[in-house]
Amino acid sequence: MKIYADNAATTKMSSAAMQAQIACMEEYFANPSSLHSLGQRAAEQLFAFRESVARCLGAQAREITFTSGGSEADNQAILSAAAAGEKKGKKHIVSSAFEHHAVLHTLQNLERRGFSVTLLPVHENGIVRIEELRDALREDTALVTILYANNEIGTIQPIEEIGAICRERGILFHTDAVQAVGQLPINLQNIDLLSLSAHKFHGPKGVGALYARKGVPLSPLIAGGAQERGKRAGTENLPAIAGMAAALEEACAHMEENAKHIKALRDRLIAGLQTIPHSALSGDAHKRLPGNVHFCFEGIEGESLLLLLDARGICASSGSACTSGSLEASHVLLAIGRPHEVAHGSLRLTLSRETTQEEVDAIICAVTEVVATLRAMSPLWRDLEEGRREHVL
Ligand SMILES: *Cc1c(COP(=O)(O)O)cnc(C)c1O
């Protein structure tokens, strides 16, 4: 029996999403751009899925562009806003130090093209400060892009306030809401651009969407046909879009009860792991995603911890799936001020609506034992215990 606690990396598709996807493949296989009746029926379905996704977000159907996922939506949102800004001579962008790489690397590419980027610090609680955002804004700021909830430590950013400030100053605001959609309520009032990805809310992989408020211009990343009103070429992945729409409807219909269930398990898990000496929860204890638990353990190497947990049937992560495999410390943990040696001993456990209390208790037990085992073997831990090194946690 496996315990899956890596839902920030991806979630298991729900059976409703799978069924919607299969039904779509059987019924609506035609190309929505074809003029014949089967094509037109597929086009009608495409519109129905667009309306369904829009309704869940509180948007209008024409404000939704389907993409291949969160990374593409982030790229397109930022590059579109940058292009619009550049036309007006505005080449400054404000973001945060702990964005997803889809945002950070896009910003780095823009810097090479002469844009200047200010990355706001996120402090120990993992939350950007409104005052620092205000101070960072300039006459030539074209875009503010701040994620809704961080994918490693789960902290939730004050995006409504940030959006209001941007609106007041006439600056476009994009939020990478990939971790939030389906889990947290979305208020689009002051949001111009928002990215989402189906596989983070029990939908299929390789499909997502970009919300762009009416009037906010999108520039295509992919040249070709006129699909998605000319904003994204390529025959639409209708079955995946069907699965995404079904998964989102399901997640939004049960959001409150799911959040309540998951939060209770999260807090039980946090309380259990806090009894491990020289450990620390990363980021604010309350302003975090319902299912996110992230700890650093002193004197531990994160990779070993993961392997030993895996041997006990527990699937966890050291942080972002995108940085695992590299030996660099997580940019997120460094951004919240964790020293390198502590950042290497990190563990991310992310729960879902399918997680049970028995699983949480098994995780607490396994992590406690594995941490003790690894520390018993660690020369670094011996130095700490015998006072040759100072504890930092
Ligand atoms: C997973 C994730 C992405 C990337 O989404 P994909 O659909 O996998 O490309 C972007 N941002 C955040 C915050 C994520 O968690």
Side-chain angles (χ1 to χ4, degrees), residues 24-262:
C24 180
M25 286 190 267
E26 283 173 351
E27 290 280 318
Y28 306 107
F29 64 88
N31 189 325
S33 299
S34 294
L35 289 180
H36 49 65
S37 52
L38 287 185
Q40 288 317 294
R41 281 181 54 198
E44 278 164 23
Q45 281 303 304
L46 179 63
F47 184 71
F49 299 142
R50 200 183 307 280
E51 280 203 308
S52 145
V53 169
R55 194 174 340 107
C56 292
L57 298 175
Q60 291 169 16
R62 62 170 172 232
E63 296 173 314
I64 303 298
T65 301
F66 294 124
T67 67
S68 67
S71 299
E72 184 186 331
D74 283 343
N75 275 257
Q76 188 168 16
I78 293 168
L79 293 175
S80 299
E86 196 168 19
K87 279 191 199 139
K88 300 182 201 152
K90 295 182 171 182
K91 295 185 75 176
H92 176 240
I93 299 175
V94 176
S95 187
S96 81
F98 76 161
E99 297 295 311
H100 189 272
H101 283 130
V103 168
L104 286 179
H105 291 173
T106 303
L107 294 177
Q108 283 163 13
N109 290 341
L110 284 170
E111 279 183 312
R112 279 180 220 116
R113 285 172 36 192
F115 280 79
S116 69
V117 174
T118 304
L119 295 184
L120 300 176
V122 287
H123 307 285
E124 208 193 329
N125 66 356
I127 298 174
V128 299
R129 292 189 187 152
I130 292 295
E131 274 321 301
E132 289 176 334
L133 169 81
R134 277 189 205 279
D135 291 346
L137 298 179
R138 309 193 319 210
E139 283 302 308
D140 64 340
T141 305
L143 169 71
V144 171
T145 171
I146 306 272
L147 44 49
Y148 191 156
N150 180 267
N151 47 300
E152 285 186 45
I153 61 174
T155 46
I156 297 169
Q157 307 305 308
I159 58 159
E160 290 190 17
E161 276 174 272
I162 297 172
I165 292 168
C166 293
R167 179 60 44 87
E168 204 179 281
R169 304 272 302 250
I171 298 167
L172 287 177
F173 176 48
H174 165 249
T175 185
D176 172 341
V178 171
Q179 289 288 332
V181 169
Q183 294 218 58
L184 300 176
I186 304 286
N187 176 357
L188 290 175
Q189 177 142 26
N190 292 317
I191 297 173
D192 298 303
L193 295 149
L194 176 144
S195 311
L196 62 93
S197 174
H199 75 101
K200 302 291 174 74
F201 51 81
H202 302 276
K205 296 174 208 347
V207 65
L210 174 57
Y211 158 82
R213 171 186 297 285
K214 189 167 153 275
V216 174
L218 285 188
S219 14
L221 296 180
I222 301 173
Q227 290 91 352
E228 300 296 290
R229 310 168 115 235
K231 291 171 203 151
R232 190 199 189 256
T235 302
E236 301 85 350
N237 188 349
L238 199 60
I241 292 168
M244 169 164 69
L248 188 57
E249 291 273 1
E250 195 182 17
C252 292
H254 304 284
M255 191 182 292
E256 252 177 67
E257 62 200 79
N258 286 341
K260 200 168 155 229
H261 165 80
I262 302 170

